[in-house]
Amino acid sequence: MEGGGRPSAAQAALLAASTALTALLYSVYRQKSRVARGLEGARRVRLDGDLRAVLLEAPGRCVPYAVIEGSVVRSVKETLSSQFVENCKGVVQRLTLQEHKMVWNRTTHLWNDYEKIIHQRTNTTPFDLVPQEDGTGVTVRVMKPLDAAELSLETVYEKFHPSVQSFTDVIGHYISGERPKGIQETEQMLKVGTALTGVGELVLDNATIKLQPPKQGMPYYLSAMDFDSLLQKQESNVRFWKILTVIFGFATCAVLFFILRKQYRHHRERRHLKQMQDEFRQAQERLMREMNAEGGETLKNACVICLSNTKSCVFLECGHVCSCTECYRALPEPKRCPICRQAISRVVPLYNS
């Protein structure tokens, strides 16, 4: 604590940082909890012949947050072919070139792995969701698949091309602090025939049933997991952020309790010191009145404790001259100055001529 009982700058900064972090974690927890509740309350519809009738009866021919489960992918137009795997067809293709290298950390004096995406390209083609038991003739057009969370892309090709280095290159890399490891080439696809669970806004647009991102700000999902697994994953995220929020909330309360306790102790010491000073002053005034009433001489240099003997010692390091030797010896351990309550490190005798 600083002078006057105020928290120190470090304590105030710690309390502010802990409070801000707790508020941030609570905000994330609230957002994750809202997503999980919305996903739990999503309307589950079957991709069958009754789907069109369900949408015709819905207000605005729209289900704001619906679940289509147990479906497979069918391309509307020409499918995308893998650049590396024969007879591999899909509707979403992502090609990635990623650089791998080691970077020297001047603080820890260690080589750390570093990855950087050099180039990434994503190709898509319109596609529909159809029932696994084909024959009903009902399809759902998937809109903006790249906006979906949990988009299940399967890695169909992955190859690492190590960098070839000469001895001169190795020396130069140690000097520059960067050691290239190589380039990783990856191809991911959403293959034709993949089972998907779609969660989003389901709308009947003329004769086409569309699954698109919801307008209420809820997340849009295209996942290879079934709906129950997807819901359990979101609830697990909610529990994780809740635990973090509770932990940092307790830490914030502990810091606040520590600061308030220090302030209370400081306030109590100041009040006790003021009370003692008031008692000494009242005792001195009472003694002077008694001595004046008896016609005696006032003892100007009286000990503030016994008020009868003269002051005969100096307390260090505070420098107060307020006590006689007998009263100093009678002070309880650890000995403190009766005026300022500072610890007495040594005593110097005082001689009056």
Side-chain angles (χ1 to χ4, degrees):
M1 303 293 290
E2 293 181 345
R6 295 186 301 272
S8 65
Q11 292 172 346
L14 180 61
L15 179 61
S18 180
T19 303
L21 186 56
T22 302
L24 177 62
L25 292 174
Y26 180 72
S27 175
V28 175
Y29 160 71
R30 287 287 302 272
Q31 192 270 337
K32 296 289 184 182
S33 179
R34 184 179 67 88
V35 169
R37 289 196 304 269
L39 191 60
E40 187 177 5
R43 181 178 177 181
R44 303 180 69 169
V45 296
R46 296 181 58 85
L47 190 52
D48 54 19
D50 297 331
L51 179 58
R52 191 178 300 274
V54 170
L55 291 174
L56 286 173
E57 295 176 358
R61 297 184 176 183
C62 171
V63 178
Y65 208 45
V67 180
I68 295 288
E69 191 176 9
S71 305
V72 297
V73 180
R74 184 180 72 182
S75 176
V76 177
K77 299 180 180 179
E78 183 179 355
T79 57
L80 302 173
S81 300
S82 171
Q83 294 188 4
F84 305 98
V85 182
E86 294 184 0
N87 300 323
C88 184
K89 305 291 185 179
V91 293
V92 179
Q93 180 188 47
R94 180 170 294 163
L95 301 170
T96 305
L97 286 178
Q98 191 173 37
E99 178 187 13
H100 293 259
K101 61 182 178 180
M102 303 287 288
V103 177
W104 178 255
N105 191 316
R106 301 182 185 277
T107 303
T108 61
H109 299 286
L110 296 173
W111 289 96
N112 299 326
D113 288 324
Y114 177 79
E115 299 175 358
K116 177 183 178 182
I117 295 179
I118 303 175
H119 176 72
Q120 188 176 77
R121 185 177 80 249
T122 304
N123 304 318
T124 62
T125 185
F127 64 93
D128 289 342
L129 299 181
V130 298
Q132 290 182 341
E133 300 82 10
D134 207 353
T136 60
V138 179
T139 62
V140 174
R141 179 70 49 84
V142 178
M143 311 299 295
K144 299 180 179 180
L146 298 183
D147 292 347
E150 306 285 341
L151 181 61
S152 300
L153 297 181
E154 180 183 349
T155 300
V156 297
Y157 176 81
E158 187 174 19
K159 186 175 182 180
F160 183 77
H161 304 276
S163 59
V164 179
Q165 304 176 19
S166 64
F167 179 75
T168 306
D169 294 334
V170 173
I171 299 299
H173 296 155
Y174 271 97
I175 295 175
S176 63
E178 293 186 0
R179 291 163 46 190
K181 297 172 63 177
I183 303 296
Q184 183 173 350
E185 192 174 17
T186 307
E187 182 182 25
Q188 297 174 297
M189 296 191 72
L190 179 59
K191 292 200 253 183
V192 173
T194 303
L196 282 183
T197 299
V199 183
E201 184 181 66
L202 201 62
V203 60
L204 178 61
D205 186 6
N206 296 327
T208 305
I209 302 176
K210 296 180 179 180
L211 179 67
Q212 59 191 16
K215 297 183 177 63
Q216 299 88 350
M218 297 297 293
Y220 180 39
Y221 293 102
L222 288 175
S223 175
M225 296 185 294
D226 59 79
F227 178 71
D228 293 333
S229 299
L230 182 62
L231 181 59
Q232 289 178 3
K233 182 178 180 180
Q234 299 305 317
E235 290 176 345
S236 176
N237 286 336
V238 171
R239 288 193 295 270
F240 171 76
W241 288 102
K242 182 178 181 179
I243 291 173
L244 280 184
T245 303
V246 170
I247 291 174
F248 279 89
F250 274 119
T252 302
C253 292
V255 173
L256 181 60
F257 173 77
F258 174 78
I259 293 177
L260 293 178
R261 181 171 175 268
K262 287 286 187 180
Q263 287 184 321
Y264 171 74
R265 291 179 61 183
H266 181 81
H267 173 71
R268 187 176 61 181
E269 290 177 359
R270 288 177 60 88
R271 185 176 60 183
H272 180 64
L273 177 60
K274 186 176 183 301
Q275 182 180 359
M276 289 184 62
Q277 291 175 341
D278 291 342
E279 291 177 355
F280 289 149
R281 186 172 56 254
Q282 292 173 4
Q284 286 180 330
E285 293 176 353
R286 183 172 60 253
L287 178 62
M288 296 198 48
R289 287 195 301 269
E290 292 176 355
M291 294 181 66
N292 289 333
E294 295 174 357
E297 296 183 357
T298 303
L299 188 59
K300 298 180 180 180
N301 202 24
C303 170
V304 299
I305 298 176
C306 64
L307 300 177
S308 58
N309 299 327
T310 58
K311 301 172 184 177
S312 59
C313 53
V314 181
F315 296 155
L316 299 178
E317 301 294 332
C318 65
H320 282 124
V321 181
C322 58
S323 171
C324 63
T325 305
E326 290 77 7
C327 290
Y328 162 72
R329 292 172 180 170
L331 289 175
E333 296 290 343
K335 298 183 183 299
R336 295 181 178 273
C337 174
I339 300 298
C340 64
R341 305 301 298 167
Q342 290 191 26
I344 301 174
S345 60
R346 60 194 183 97
V347 177
V348 178
L350 179 66
Y351 301 99
N352 295 317
S353 59

